[in-house]
């Protein structure tokens, strides 16, 4: 059995190559330090993903699970009009979970983070009965320019990107024993 410290070191090594200039201090301290630009607001959003609800650990690729999770979380920043700065991951797994699969999940997150310029900057690991993770994404945008829900007015236009219901259809097909691939969300980031 590999301990929590060993897993943190491995995740830190994987994430180190993806750190960007915005990261002052990343993984391996008690908190991350990120530098935003003068005149900006910080946008923060959290999403949780649980085995059997948001993904199927026994049938989906762990890398794909990681990429889908980060894509989904970053979509919230995109909806606000923010550019990503970084994210944290709180990962809970049973001790019997295969270490290689765990690191593949992290690799999926890191690769997606590189693609969308959003590095892993910290997080937490713990034991649990089921696999779950929570991602907190951090973004920045020009002060006062957030695309807020309370800015909608009667008669305003609503725009949707992507194919509505595609992930739900793939999930239903998988549950019915059919072949399907749940799509990786494509956050519309600046």
């Amino acid at each position: 059995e590999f301990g929590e410290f060993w897993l943190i070191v491995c995740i830190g090594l994987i994430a180190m190559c993806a750190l960007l200039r915005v990261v002052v201090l990343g993984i391996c301290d008690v908190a991350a330090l990120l530098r935003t630009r003068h005149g900006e607001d910080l946008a923060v959003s959290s999403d949780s993903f649980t085995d059997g609800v948001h993904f199927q650990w026994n049938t989906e690729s762990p890398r794909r699970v990681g990429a889908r999770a980060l894509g989904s979380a970053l979509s919230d920043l995109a909806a606000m009009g923010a550019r990503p700065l970084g994210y944290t991951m709180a990962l809970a797994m049973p001790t019997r979970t295969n270490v290689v699969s765990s690191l593949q999940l992290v690799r999926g997150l890191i690769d997606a983070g590189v693609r969308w310029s959003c590095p892993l900057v910290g997080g937490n690991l713990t034991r649990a009965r089921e696999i779950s993770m929570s991602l907190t994404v951090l973004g920045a945008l020009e002060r006062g320019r957030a695309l807020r829900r309370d800015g909608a007015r009667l008669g305003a236009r609503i725009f949707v990107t992507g194919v509505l219901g595609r992930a739900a259809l793939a999930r239903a097909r998988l549950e019915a024993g059919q072949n399907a691939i749940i799509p990786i969300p494509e956050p519309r980031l600046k």
Side-chain angles (χ1 to χ4, degrees):
E1 177 185 321
F2 293 98
E4 179 181 346
F5 179 75
W6 182 87
L7 196 52
I8 290 170
V9 169
C10 288
I11 291 170
L13 290 173
I14 292 169
M16 199 178 314
C17 65
L19 294 179
L20 304 175
R21 283 176 284 174
V22 72
V23 179
V24 177
L25 179 65
I27 294 175
C28 297
D29 209 315
V30 295
L33 298 177
L34 306 179
R35 182 164 292 139
T36 61
R37 298 176 190 152
H38 179 70
E40 290 185 329
D41 288 330
L42 181 66
V44 180
S45 179
S46 295
D47 279 308
S48 293
F49 307 90
T50 304
D51 185 21
V53 178
H54 303 97
F55 60 89
Q56 300 294 323
W57 186 257
N58 293 330
T59 59
E60 281 187 74
S61 150
R63 269 183 111 139
R64 188 168 184 80
V65 168
R68 279 197 316 106
L70 187 57
S72 178
L74 285 174
S75 292
D76 292 342
L77 289 185
M80 273 259 165
R83 78 174 192 290
L85 297 174
Y87 69 98
T88 64
M89 167 194 66
L91 180 61
M93 301 185 118
T95 54
R96 69 182 182 286
T97 305
N98 179 296
V99 173
V100 172
S101 295
S102 302
L103 293 175
Q104 286 299 307
L105 171 74
V106 172
R107 176 51 65 195
L109 286 162
I110 299 296
D111 290 348
V114 168
R115 178 176 176 202
W116 294 312
S117 300
C118 188
L120 175 64
V121 297
N124 186 50
L125 299 171
T126 190
R127 285 180 286 209
R129 286 187 214 120
E130 62 186 0
I131 299 171
S132 67
M133 70 178 147
S134 292
L135 301 179
T136 298
V137 290
L138 308 160
L141 62 154
E142 187 180 334
R143 187 165 291 145
R145 301 287 299 180
L147 303 173
R148 297 168 41 153
R149 288 179 180 167
D150 64 3
R153 300 289 178 255
L154 186 62
R157 294 181 180 170
I158 297 173
F159 295 90
V160 178
T161 62
V163 179
L164 294 178
R166 192 168 101 188
L169 177 61
R171 180 79 170 201
R173 285 181 174 164
L174 286 172
E175 288 173 359
Q178 301 172 4
N179 287 337
I181 296 175
I182 299 175
I184 296 173
E186 186 65 42
R188 305 312 195 257
L189 298 164
K190 291 183 177 183

